[in-house]
Amino acid sequence: MSSVHIAELSWTAYDEKLKRDNPVIILPVGSLEQHGPHSPLATDTIIPQAIGIGVAETIDGLIAPPIAYGYKSMPRTGGGNHFPGTTSLDGDTLVRLTRDIICEFARHGARRLLILDSHYENEMFLIEGIDLALKDLKSWGIDGLQIMKVRYFEFVSEATLAKVFPDGFPGWPLEHAGVMTTSVLLHRRPDLVHMDKVPNQKPVLYPPYDLFPVDPKKGTQTGILATAKGATPEKGEILFKEYVACISAATREAFGLAA
């Protein structure tokens, strides 16, 4: 195999790989969403794609082109859908897109699929797409497809969190465009990060409810929910290596693959 990227293979090489190895197909799912004035809009796509490549290389899998758009950004976890550049899908669009892609991979002969999600708001729409795809495949007489869905940021140990957040971990919702994503980008794509533009602000705390329509004047005005001033490439390397190692191990366990 010359590449783990499905898009870089010929159809014959792809077909041979599926028939010979029954590899895990990795589908990164992200978003095009603001990540503060210091990080790129594609943060949620760049990171799972990089992790997915690492996992594919580790477990001899294949990685598909990512779903680069996600469900609408919510103020409490992403700053809000009103920020320029944030380009979102309706929920039913993401559901149908996920279902169609899953069914196509199954039609090709794939029987192991890892969906690697990066965007908090995608969660239930991906699950709905998975459920509908499995129902469709069953009605078509296609059996045996197993699907594993993970949110990569949950694969980190308490010891690593203590290293990355010496003053205490603020929680994943506040980590939008924060230390974690910024550090990983500094490790993998430092050319896209501008640390001089990181806002120096206190965490933006929202009430424990959502109010619609969203008032852009309430909540974060910079797009970040907690400052990324503590981000470093060294922290990013620690996080990235742990994500790849832990997700690879979990994938092997879930699908019964040899170590």
Side-chain angles (χ1 to χ4, degrees):
M1 290 293 295
S2 59
S3 177
V4 297
H5 294 268
I6 291 175
E8 295 178 359
L9 301 176
S10 67
W11 77 264
T12 53
Y14 173 61
D15 187 49
E16 289 170 5
K17 176 70 173 176
L18 286 179
K19 290 177 178 177
R20 182 180 67 244
D21 300 331
N22 187 23
V24 176
I25 304 295
I26 301 168
L27 175 63
V29 185
S31 69
L32 188 66
E33 177 194 34
Q34 69 79 23
H35 274 72
H38 64 288
S39 297
L41 289 161
T43 291
D44 276 349
T45 303
I46 293 169
I47 292 177
Q49 187 171 31
I51 294 170
I53 292 169
V55 173
E57 293 172 343
T58 301
I59 67 171
D60 193 25
L62 292 173
I63 184 165
I67 296 178
Y69 298 90
Y71 183 67
K72 303 176 183 73
S73 176
M74 294 291 106
R76 286 198 287 161
T77 52
N81 209 58
H82 53 278
F83 282 91
T86 299
T87 309
S88 305
L89 303 177
D90 285 343
D92 63 336
T93 305
L94 181 55
V95 168
R96 292 176 181 274
L97 181 60
T98 303
R99 179 175 68 175
D100 287 352
I101 292 172
I102 291 171
C103 288
E104 284 294 279
F105 283 134
R107 182 179 63 81
H108 301 160
R111 291 298 178 266
R112 296 167 174 156
L113 178 62
L114 167 62
I115 295 180
L116 191 57
D117 184 26
S118 177
H119 182 58
Y120 212 82
E121 289 86 344
N122 287 342
E123 176 82 353
M124 298 312 299
F125 301 103
L126 294 178
I127 291 174
E128 179 71 356
I130 291 169
D131 183 63
L132 292 178
L134 291 175
K135 289 179 179 178
D136 285 344
L137 293 171
K138 185 176 180 179
S139 70
W140 301 339
I142 299 177
D143 297 318
L145 177 65
Q146 293 180 296
I147 303 172
M148 177 183 179
K149 191 197 77 66
V150 305
R151 296 192 295 192
Y152 79 85
F153 47 84
E154 295 180 326
F155 284 79
V156 61
S157 67
E158 292 296 325
T160 294
L161 285 178
K163 292 179 183 177
V164 176
F165 301 96
D167 296 326
F169 177 52
W172 291 126
L174 283 180
E175 258 304 291
H176 176 81
V179 170
M180 184 273 290
T181 56
T182 305
S183 292
V184 174
L185 285 173
L186 283 170
H187 170 55
R188 299 295 300 187
R189 291 297 307 271
D191 56 308
L192 299 179
V193 182
H194 305 279
M195 288 300 292
D196 59 316
K197 295 182 180 180
V198 174
N200 188 17
Q201 65 182 57
K202 294 181 180 180
V204 178
L205 302 177
Y206 287 88
Y209 57 82
D210 299 301
L211 184 64
F212 299 98
V214 171
D215 184 352
K217 296 179 181 179
K218 295 181 179 179
T220 179
Q221 299 301 298
T222 64
I224 72 168
L225 303 180
T227 186
K229 286 288 187 181
T232 67
E234 292 77 18
K235 290 179 180 179
E237 183 177 12
I238 292 170
L239 286 163
F240 183 80
K241 287 182 176 179
E242 185 156 22
Y243 291 142
V244 171
C246 291
I247 294 172
S248 295
T251 303
R252 284 192 171 112
E253 180 183 7
F255 292 125
L257 305 178

